[in-house]
Amino acid sequence: MKREIKIKNLNSKKYLSITYAATALFIIAFLCWFLDAPVVYAYIAAGLAITLFAYLSMDSFTTSNAVSYGSKSVTMKLLGHKTIGFLFADVKQVRLQDLGLLIRVEGLEDIKLSRKRYTDQSLEQLHTIFKEKTSLQ
């Protein structure tokens, strides 16, 4: 059975806005603690910020086939592999072959994503992302 890889762009407006909101809530919490504002406001702001950050990372814990990428790095959690992360600048080669996607990274073993295990659409999307990001580095 072929599995789909869930790909998450951490530079999308959704993730950036949640990150900025959580950061602002942490700043508000610290200001409440240091400026002698009611402590309950600080706890509420900090709790909401922690909840937002937990929401952002929940996919990493619940999804078995997930790839998260930003402007400079990627984190991959795939079946048969432990979670690995690396910089796009360290990628030596990316090839989409008949057998699957081959990713060669400096300092890591070759990453081979088989067409038997993953859908063609997922592999093609990953190949496109790697080609775009490695050409920018």
Side-chain angles (χ1 to χ4, degrees):
M1 181 174 139
K2 291 186 178 185
R3 301 177 189 267
E4 186 173 341
I5 300 172
K6 185 172 183 178
I7 300 173
K8 181 169 60 169
N9 180 359
L10 298 177
N11 289 331
S12 69
K13 289 182 182 182
K14 173 186 173 183
Y15 292 107
L16 287 176
S17 62
I18 292 173
T19 302
Y20 292 145
T23 304
L25 285 168
F26 268 131
I27 291 170
I28 290 169
F30 286 120
L31 288 175
C32 287
W33 278 315
F34 290 119
L35 298 177
D36 294 330
V39 177
V40 70
Y41 295 142
Y43 287 122
I44 290 171
L48 288 173
I50 291 169
T51 302
L52 287 174
F53 278 126
Y55 170 74
L56 284 177
S57 61
M58 193 58 65
D59 283 345
S60 302
F61 298 113
T62 59
T63 306
S64 60
N65 297 316
V67 174
S68 302
Y69 70 96
S71 58
K72 296 184 180 190
S73 64
V74 63
T75 302
M76 304 172 80
K77 180 182 176 188
L78 301 169
L79 283 175
H81 294 283
K82 60 184 176 188
T83 301
I84 52 175
F86 50 88
L87 298 173
F88 287 115
D90 293 339
V91 175
K92 292 180 183 177
Q93 181 183 25
V94 178
R95 278 192 310 187
L96 189 59
Q97 306 169 327
D98 292 337
L99 297 175
L101 183 64
L102 173 69
I103 305 167
R104 289 199 167 131
V105 181
E106 187 176 320
L108 295 176
E109 293 182 20
D110 290 351
I111 302 166
K112 299 171 186 170
L113 305 177
S114 171
R115 288 189 188 269
K116 292 179 183 178
R117 179 173 279 179
Y118 302 108
T119 63
D120 290 337
Q121 180 184 11
S122 295
L123 294 178
E124 289 169 7
Q125 189 176 3
L126 271 178
H127 181 255
T128 303
I129 290 167
F130 275 100
K131 282 296 185 186
E132 281 179 16
K133 297 296 185 176
T134 55
S135 67
L136 297 175
Q137 303 300 320

